Amino acid sequence: MNLIICGAPGSGKGTQSDFIVKKYNLTHLSTGDLLRAETASGSELGKTINAYISQGNLIPDDMMIELLMQKIKSCPETNGFILDGFPRTVAQAEAFEQIMTRQGTRTDLLIDLKVEHDELVNRLLKRGETSGRSDDNLDTITKRLEVYEEKTRPVSDFYRKLGKYAAIDGMGDLQEIFGRICQAIDQIQ
Ligand code: AMP
């Protein structure tokens, strides 16, 4: 089973991915974590990546797809993946689905976590107090939410048209949100 978890910055993708991984025994692949690891390595590529992240911009599609496919290849065989934070553009979704088809596999479901704008800003500002992330400050948060609306929201329509889409209310208690996600996953199994 291959899942995608999508949603605006601060929608709880990482937190819910951790729950999903444990229950369904999947491999968690967060492109944000992948990029931050490259940045922390101090490599030239990491410096280029950090320039995008700290401005709240997306990493170019080609670079992102290349890095993710390298990472997937290096992972041991599992029950499947949960992709967290990818695809962030329709071009990434198209390229990824083509690669999956060529490899004889598929995406089963995109889980779209829906959270109100003010709640997103509050969560990200709160996270910024302890995360040490260069992009958890008000200016960059505002930019990231704009980029999300413009570039990432259309990805939902792409998967909706494929019949592989579940919108999940991401407001409220963490376990209740997880319960809603499990219902959606269990319907496809
Ligand atoms: P995240 O941890 O998912 O909030 O991602 C943090 C930052 O990493 C984003 O604001 C982007 O700059 C970059 N990033 C993460 N995933 C992607 C992606 N799929 N495509 C392009 N940039 C990404």
Side-chain angles (χ1 to χ4, degrees):
M1 182 167 66
N2 295 307
L3 304 176
I4 295 173
I5 189 157
C6 187
S11 58
K13 300 186 292 290
T15 306
Q16 293 297 334
S17 293
D18 290 343
F19 296 151
I20 296 168
V21 162
K22 286 203 190 86
K23 176 159 179 186
Y24 296 95
N25 196 19
L26 301 175
T27 300
H28 181 203
L29 282 175
S30 153
T31 47
D33 286 350
L34 182 66
L35 296 167
R36 281 185 291 276
E38 189 63 47
T39 301
S41 78
S43 68
E44 281 308 309
L45 176 61
K47 285 179 195 148
T48 308
I49 288 171
N50 193 44
Y52 290 103
I53 292 184
S54 58
Q55 296 299 311
N57 288 316
L58 295 180
I59 271 65
D61 289 333
D62 291 354
M63 193 187 283
M64 188 68 255
I65 291 159
E66 172 72 24
L67 281 167
L68 178 67
M69 295 324 293
Q70 272 176 19
K71 178 75 185 174
I72 288 181
K73 266 191 216 143
S74 73
C75 283
E77 286 274 313
T78 57
N79 265 356
F81 294 104
I82 175 146
L83 288 182
D84 160 3
F86 180 94
R88 284 275 230 285
T89 64
V90 172
Q92 289 181 11
E94 284 170 349
F96 181 67
E97 290 307 322
Q98 274 175 19
I99 294 170
M100 295 285 271
T101 305
R102 272 208 300 276
Q103 294 182 347
T105 179
R106 65 186 188 286
T107 300
D108 294 290
L109 187 69
L110 179 139
I111 297 157
D112 188 9
L113 283 177
K114 300 283 197 187
V115 174
E116 289 163 14
H117 182 274
D118 289 355
E119 171 74 7
L120 293 170
V121 176
N122 287 338
R123 286 186 192 177
L124 289 167
L125 285 175
K126 191 149 197 301
R127 186 172 79 186
E129 291 169 10
T130 52
S131 70
R133 278 177 53 161
S134 62
D135 55 352
D136 282 345
N137 59 75
L138 191 54
D139 281 351
T140 315
I141 290 168
T142 306
K143 173 76 181 170
R144 286 159 69 201
L145 292 173
E146 281 169 13
V147 169
Y148 174 79
E149 285 302 326
E150 188 195 334
K151 304 252 171 74
T152 309
R153 197 176 280 288
V155 173
S156 305
D157 288 331
F158 180 89
Y159 283 94
R160 198 182 280 125
K161 284 184 193 140
L162 295 178
K164 295 175 175 181
Y165 176 82
I168 301 289
D169 177 3
M171 300 283 289
D173 178 75
L174 290 182
Q175 288 303 327
E176 279 177 21
I177 299 167
F178 182 51
R180 292 173 205 138
I181 293 175
C182 292
Q183 267 188 354
I185 295 175
D186 294 341
Q187 273 179 16
I188 60 162
Q189 284 194 316

